[in-house]
Amino acid sequence: MAAKLKTLVVSAFKMHGLTLRSEACKYVVEVLGPVNEVEREDIIDKIIETIQKQPLKSSLIDRSVCETAVQECNTEHEDEGDSILYVIDAFSVPRFTYKSDRKKFIPNSTLGISKPSLHGTAEDKALLFRDRYTVLQQRTQRHDLFSPAAVGTDPNEHSKKFQLKPIEYLLGSTSKLGEIIVLGMLTQLKEGKWYLEDPTGAVPIDVSEANFHVGLFTENCFVLAEGWYEDGIFHVNAFGFPPPEPSNTTRSYFGNINMFGGPSSTSLKSSAKMKQQEEDNQDAMFVFMSDVWLDQVKVMDKLRVLFTGYSEFPPAMFVFCGNFMSTPKSNIRLVKEAFDNLAALICDFPQLVENSKFLFVPGPQDAGMGTILPRPPIPNSITEDLCRKIPNAVFATNPCRLQYCTQEIVIFREDIVTKMCRNCIKFPADGDVPKHFAKTLISQGHLCPLPLHVCPVYWAYDNSLRLYPLPDLVICADKYDPFHTTSVDCTIVNPGSFPRTDYSFKVYMPATRQIEDSKIGD
């Protein structure tokens, strides 16, 4: 039995590029001895995840490193208790880098990459685009259309395959090249002149005859461009996005590494216990609304109606997205008064105070630090009274993440739909903006595939906007009309502006994964 367990431990560590010394291996086997066989793999993954967070000098792991990791896991387990809902702020999302030679994601801490800083360096800006490209490239090359056909397969299968070419392949050619597919970033290196760029170079493109597939094609988004190359210009026949990849497929390649964040999302995602709790909580629900203007009497009246309706059956969480004032950059004293009034209103419903969580995600015009993403929570000086009266209130970053049982949810408050429509090269002919918007986010694997001058991002924290592996639910709170659409097992939802849509909002049922359109009528 011990030999079988030892083999399991050694192979698990090897899969992550780590080798255990004999004493370390013996210690881990002793720790896992009393553990139920069903839970062993989860615990091994957790220990490895904790070890990878340590500043390792070598891939050879000794006993002291394992002891520290086990101690941290025990402390973490005590802190977690039986909680099924975690809020993860954007600044604590794990940072990974894809290594093509090893074909795996490696934690930045083990690569010797320095901790991120708000005041990033030029290298951080370069890594921002390079990492986005690398993630999409490895995902595209694994897709059935681009992966090489197996030896001995039907010759017809070879004809159905495509091959990606780097831009240096074009630049190094002296003759005309026809029917080539290139993965690159759309950019304007010169005013009004479009280029396609990847880590190997940049080439001017002619888009006058290009057909655009589904999606909102903006500057700085990554595209698959099909066309022919002549006289130093790539003539594009068609633009498409890199093919998306379901979360289950991603995890089958990279295992249960914790790229989402949180105390133990690795084990929660595959936990049979959490899956059972998710199914048992049939009545659990999440209420999402945006532009909750606390300085408007009508909005406060509608919130009272909302709380009255839910007081008998409290939701798991109310998610309020900003802006929280109807006038931009309002006086801090007025903002504090508005939150104090909300606290007094919620306290009138003790059932909700006791059983529901209240999550507040700041909007672009709320009090605090600028409009650069990710955005810190609303300052404590404004929210401390509300937090004291309502212990279950959480003021989060924008964006933020939720881990509920086995489900991963991303919440983002930005007028991103509007900005993408305004900045796309060619507006979709059918005008079905929700379909094109959802396709863009899912294919790009990123919340904000826009130029940095349109939507600024802290360079070193761009990973917090990444959607890879794809989460189960993405809330993009925007002033655009409400919608929800599902693709590749990922649901994109816009609850719309609460006051501007006659007080409508969205309700999510995690047990059935259904979205309900709701409205507070007169």
Side-chain angles (χ1 to χ4, degrees):
M1 187 69 179
K4 184 180 177 182
L5 181 55
K6 180 180 178 181
T7 305
L8 177 68
V9 170
V10 171
S11 62
F13 273 77
K14 277 187 177 178
M15 280 184 65
H16 290 80
L18 302 173
T19 306
L20 287 173
R21 291 185 184 274
S22 57
E23 283 299 310
C25 184
K26 186 177 178 182
Y27 170 72
V28 175
V29 170
E30 287 175 2
V31 168
L32 294 172
V35 177
N36 188 308
E37 283 188 28
V38 179
E39 298 178 359
R40 276 178 184 166
E41 288 191 19
D42 285 347
I43 293 174
I44 292 172
D45 285 340
K46 209 169 182 180
I47 292 172
I48 293 172
E49 182 186 324
T50 309
I51 287 174
Q52 288 176 328
K53 291 178 183 177
Q54 299 182 33
L56 302 175
K57 295 179 181 177
S58 166
S59 61
L60 200 61
I61 308 301
D62 56 28
R63 177 173 175 137
S64 62
V65 174
C66 292
E67 287 175 344
T68 305
V70 170
Q71 197 170 8
E72 282 185 31
C73 288
N74 288 335
T75 307
E76 195 175 86
H77 181 70
E78 290 169 8
D79 293 342
E80 287 172 21
D82 294 323
S83 179
I84 59 173
L85 180 60
Y86 300 101
V87 180
I88 304 155
D89 80 80
F91 296 99
S92 64
V93 173
R95 301 172 76 226
F96 287 81
T97 298
Y98 181 77
K99 290 295 181 183
S100 55
D101 54 338
R102 298 167 69 177
K103 288 187 169 51
K104 63 190 298 186
F105 283 92
I106 309 295
N108 284 11
S109 57
T110 65
L111 295 173
I113 298 176
S114 58
K115 289 187 176 180
S117 167
L118 288 184
H119 307 290
T121 63
E123 179 65 16
D124 288 324
K125 186 177 182 182
L127 280 173
L128 179 154
F129 293 109
R130 201 180 305 147
D131 285 348
R132 288 191 199 178
Y133 173 83
T134 307
V135 169
L136 295 177
Q137 184 197 35
Q138 58 86 25
R139 195 184 78 188
T140 303
Q141 288 180 326
R142 285 203 317 271
H143 193 269
D144 289 341
L145 291 174
F146 296 94
S147 59
V151 177
T153 54
D154 187 341
N156 292 329
E157 289 296 318
H158 292 265
S159 63
K160 297 176 184 176
K161 300 289 185 179
F162 300 97
Q163 189 175 5
L164 289 180
K165 296 291 185 182
I167 287 173
E168 68 178 355
Y169 175 80
L170 306 182
L171 300 176
S173 174
T174 56
S175 59
K176 178 179 176 179
L177 299 172
E179 294 305 317
I180 301 167
I181 298 180
V182 178
L183 173 64
M185 182 177 73
L186 280 174
T187 182
Q188 293 189 70
L189 298 182
K190 296 179 182 177
E191 183 68 29
K193 191 170 183 181
W194 289 101
Y195 286 77
L196 202 60
E197 185 177 5
D198 74 2
T200 67
V203 63
I205 58 175
D206 175 11
V207 299
S208 57
E209 301 296 326
N211 291 319
F212 291 82
H213 289 234
V214 178
L216 299 173
F217 293 82
T218 64
E219 184 180 356
N220 283 178
C221 74
F222 288 87
V223 298
L224 287 173
E226 181 182 8
W228 49 280
Y229 181 72
E230 186 178 23
D231 296 334
I233 296 178
F234 187 48
H235 302 267
V236 181
N237 295 328
F239 277 122
F241 281 137
E245 183 177 79
S247 172
N248 290 339
T249 304
T250 305
R251 294 179 197 283
S252 69
Y253 281 103
F254 301 113
N256 284 327
I257 57 173
N258 180 10
M259 297 174 71
F260 190 75
S264 61
S265 77
T266 298
S267 57
L268 289 182
K269 190 69 183 171
S270 57
S271 169
K273 177 184 175 183
M274 286 298 171
K275 183 66 177 175
Q276 187 60 49
Q277 282 193 292
E278 186 180 302
E279 292 173 358
D280 291 344
N281 293 340
Q282 290 291 324
D283 297 331
M285 65 184 84
F286 291 79
V287 177
F288 297 101
M289 56 181 65
S290 180
D291 279 348
V292 185
W293 293 342
L294 302 178
D295 59 338
Q296 296 284 316
V297 175
K298 187 77 170 175
V299 170
M300 295 298 285
D301 289 343
K302 293 296 181 181
L303 287 179
R304 180 172 289 279
V305 175
L306 178 81
F307 294 148
T308 303
Y310 281 117
S311 59
E312 294 296 321
F313 302 97
M317 179 177 276
F318 289 96
V319 179
F320 299 126
C321 298
N323 303 308
F324 291 106
M325 302 294 281
S326 57
T327 53
K329 306 299 180 185
S330 298
N331 182 286
I332 295 298
R333 182 180 58 81
L334 296 178
V335 178
K336 192 173 185 306
E337 285 180 6
F339 275 105
D340 289 345
N341 292 337
L342 177 63
L345 173 60
I346 296 173
C347 286
D348 289 342
F349 302 90
Q351 281 281 83
L352 297 181
V353 174
E354 185 177 346
N355 297 295
S356 296
K357 284 185 179 290
F358 296 84
L359 181 67
F360 298 87
V361 179
Q365 296 177 349
D366 281 321
M369 288 176 58
T371 56
I372 306 176
L373 297 171
R375 190 189 189 285
I378 294 173
N380 290 338
S381 57
I382 295 174
T383 63
E384 57 187 355
D385 289 343
L386 185 146
C387 291
R388 189 171 61 252
K389 294 176 182 176
I390 305 165
N392 285 332
V394 179
F395 284 84
T397 58
N398 178 29
C400 67
R401 302 180 175 198
L402 301 180
Q403 177 80 50
Y404 173 75
C405 292
T406 66
Q407 294 190 37
E408 296 174 346
I409 302 170
V410 175
I411 301 168
F412 184 39
R413 172 63 184 100
E414 180 63 65
D415 293 329
I416 190 70
V417 182
T418 311
K419 287 183 178 180
M420 289 185 69
C421 289
R422 192 183 302 137
N423 288 276
C424 64
I425 298 174
K426 184 179 180 182
F427 193 76
D430 62 2
D432 189 352
V433 173
K435 178 182 74 174
H436 292 276
F437 174 74
K439 171 69 174 177
T440 305
L441 255 60
I442 289 172
S443 295
Q444 295 292 310
H446 200 274
L447 284 170
C448 190
L450 282 167
L452 296 179
H453 65 269
V454 175
C455 208
V457 173
Y458 288 114
W459 301 336
Y461 286 98
D462 182 69
N463 70 301
S464 64
L465 303 175
R466 195 179 292 171
L467 301 175
Y468 192 78
L470 283 173
D472 300 284
L473 177 68
V474 180
I475 305 296
C476 284
D478 191 285
K479 62 185 179 185
Y480 188 81
D481 296 338
F483 65 82
H484 70 270
T485 179
T486 301
S487 178
V488 207
D489 298 329
C490 177
T491 302
I492 308 287
V493 177
N494 173 28
S497 174
F498 186 58
R500 292 190 181 109
T501 56
D502 293 331
Y503 308 99
S504 64
F505 57 96
K506 300 283 188 181
V507 178
Y508 177 59
M509 309 289 188
T512 57
R513 307 200 178 208
Q514 291 182 333
I515 304 289
E516 288 188 359
D517 298 324
S518 301
K519 183 177 177 180
I520 304 174
D522 294 328

